[in-house]
Amino acid sequence: MDFEPSPIQRKRCNGIAEAVAERFTAHETRTDPKSLRVAWKDAAGIGLAGLCLPEEHGGGGLGALDTALSLEAFGRSCPDMGLVFGIAAHLLSCAVPIQEFGTDEAGRLLAGMASGDLIAGNAMTEDEAGSDVGRLRTTAVRSGEGYRLDGEKSFVSNAPVADVFVTYAVTDPSAGFLGISAFAVPRDLDGVVVGPPLPKMGLHGCLAARVRFDGCVVPAQYLLGAEGRGGAIFQHSMAWERGCLFAAYLGLMDRQLAECVARTTGRRQFGRRLAGFQAVAHRIARMRQRLESARLLLYRACWLLDQGRSDVTAIAMAKVAVSEAAVANSLDAMQLFGSSGYLAGTGIEEQLRDCLPTTVFSGTTEIQLELIARETGL
């Protein structure tokens, strides 16, 4: 086992961190479509919108571990975690399945996705189908040379600014999980209706909305894989998302830990540095332990992906470890900063709000624990 990043990996990550710090210096959350587009183009100019896409489409051609290391550097240097999350979701839950399973026609979307000209949203979740993806009610029925989509998705990240949606619909109601198919749906098709941005408690730099397909006829060339392969395609994309996207939160925790160290070594109470109190020092020590433990699990999960061994248990354990560490560390950071951490401006309260949904999106903690239990033989 070699735990040391290679010189190439170190150089790439340092370059990303420096470029992100230069382009996203202000602590600014962009929520209007125009400024979001500018931010996406800036990030894409660094290569972040196409890290693991093929080089012929303008991507970086990276594997899972290198993609995770790059997203970790992105999360460490960019104060707008919503933007980081939106770009990572666009890449991992949308671009990856289009690359792996799309036709030549669908594959032509990849160059625009890598350049930041096209933004993608993953449309899976429905009101009655969150963790239980087998209860999808959106249908796709053969109609001439395409499929007629009808149904509504309840929570689609990037939807208000998205140009394409990777969505899942039932093509064979009698086949259950094996009756789900996947599609890449251009936004400009008739029958695609995007709702207003949903109010959220965090990740404000990633707009989300409901998306309705109202008799939307999708040309057959935008079917991903074969009919009935949607469930497997979704699982494949989630392996990449749960493995790589959460590396961005390692970066956030790294930055957060440094901020807490600076705060407690620079502030004095009762004639002593805060860091001199054992209760404070031990809290920071636990923050570091959670971060380093989660990092090792995530790196291993991504390494397994690169070996062609998509280990469900390894990915689930990494996802649980990172998300629970992110929430726990953010709560500790709030305590260490005291009342100033509760105020807008320090970024501490924003970090907590941005970390809380990690135990819900990409599969809840409870679902991950079920996967781990099942793979353990229970």
Side-chain angles (χ1 to χ4, degrees):
M1 293 180 287
D2 184 359
F3 295 100
E4 189 68 25
S6 70
I8 293 176
Q9 289 172 326
R10 190 178 294 108
K11 180 180 179 180
R12 180 189 303 116
C13 292
N14 288 341
I16 289 172
E18 291 172 4
V20 169
E22 288 175 3
R23 301 191 189 195
F24 302 97
T25 52
H27 189 77
E28 177 186 1
T29 299
R30 302 158 183 84
T31 55
D32 68 282
K34 185 176 181 180
S35 63
L36 266 174
R37 287 265 175 194
V38 172
W40 272 74
K41 287 292 288 183
D42 283 344
I46 303 170
L48 293 164
L51 291 167
C52 56
L53 297 183
E55 293 181 3
E56 58 265 32
H57 294 297
L62 302 181
L65 180 56
D66 283 323
T67 297
L69 292 170
S70 300
L71 289 174
E72 182 177 352
F74 190 15
R76 184 183 300 114
S77 296
C78 183
D80 184 354
M81 197 61 190
L83 176 66
V84 178
F85 172 83
I87 290 175
H90 147 101
L91 173 65
L92 303 167
S93 64
C94 299
V96 165
I98 291 175
Q99 172 203 332
E100 296 282 349
F101 304 100
T103 62
D104 289 343
E105 184 67 26
R108 291 190 181 95
L109 299 169
L110 294 176
M113 295 174 74
S115 68
D117 291 326
L118 297 179
I119 297 175
N122 180 32
M124 168 58 103
T125 303
E126 299 180 5
D127 288 335
E128 300 300 324
S131 297
D132 187 2
V133 297
R135 291 177 61 85
L136 289 181
R137 294 185 178 179
T138 299
T139 59
V141 179
R142 263 289 188 178
S143 176
E145 295 300 315
Y147 294 81
R148 177 189 170 106
L149 266 63
D150 287 281
E152 185 166 342
K153 301 298 180 176
S154 60
F155 195 102
V156 182
S157 295
N158 295 330
V161 293
D163 304 287
V164 60
F165 298 100
V166 171
T167 194
Y168 300 83
V170 177
T171 46
D172 184 355
S174 66
F177 188 74
L178 298 178
I180 299 172
S181 299
F183 300 87
V185 183
R187 182 185 183 135
D188 58 6
L189 291 181
D190 291 339
V192 177
V193 182
V194 180
L198 296 170
K200 301 189 275 87
M201 73 177 298
L203 296 174
H204 295 309
C206 176
L207 301 181
R210 300 177 74 92
V211 175
R212 188 172 79 252
F213 301 105
D214 189 3
C216 173
V217 178
V218 181
Q221 58 262 37
Y222 288 114
L223 174 70
L224 302 180
E227 278 192 27
R229 289 284 292 162
I233 291 170
F234 179 69
Q235 289 180 335
H236 178 79
S237 71
M238 283 299 99
W240 274 81
E241 181 169 294
R242 291 167 184 167
C244 299
L245 182 149
F246 284 83
Y249 279 93
L250 296 177
L252 181 149
M253 285 189 281
D254 225 1
R255 168 164 45 89
Q256 183 184 71
L257 182 62
E259 291 168 349
C260 288
V261 169
R263 169 75 173 181
T264 56
T265 54
R267 181 171 168 79
R268 302 179 70 86
Q269 291 286 281
F270 303 103
R272 299 169 59 186
R273 294 183 308 154
L274 285 180
F277 292 94
Q278 188 180 70
V280 171
H282 283 189
R283 191 181 291 268
I284 289 177
R286 289 188 184 280
M287 290 175 70
R288 182 175 180 184
Q289 182 187 29
R290 292 189 201 107
L291 167 58
E292 296 294 349
S293 300
R295 177 178 278 131
L296 288 173
L297 281 172
L298 186 136
Y299 284 4
R300 179 175 179 269
C302 291
W303 177 83
L304 286 167
L305 270 177
D306 284 338
Q307 305 307 307
R309 297 156 57 190
S310 182
D311 190 309
V312 173
T313 305
I315 292 169
M317 288 194 296
K319 198 270 185 187
V320 171
V322 176
S323 59
E324 295 196 340
V327 173
N329 281 17
S330 294
L331 288 170
D332 279 339
M334 284 285 296
Q335 198 70 21
L336 291 168
F337 271 76
S339 59
S340 65
Y342 189 67
L343 299 174
T346 61
I348 299 301
E349 54 83 29
E350 183 180 12
Q351 290 168 3
L352 176 58
R353 289 187 286 105
D354 289 345
C355 287
L356 284 173
T358 60
T359 60
V360 176
F361 64 67
S362 301
T364 65
T365 292
E366 290 74 20
I367 288 296
Q368 305 311 310
L369 294 175
E370 281 294 312
L371 292 173
I372 297 167
R374 189 182 308 159
E375 293 294 319
T376 307
L378 303 181

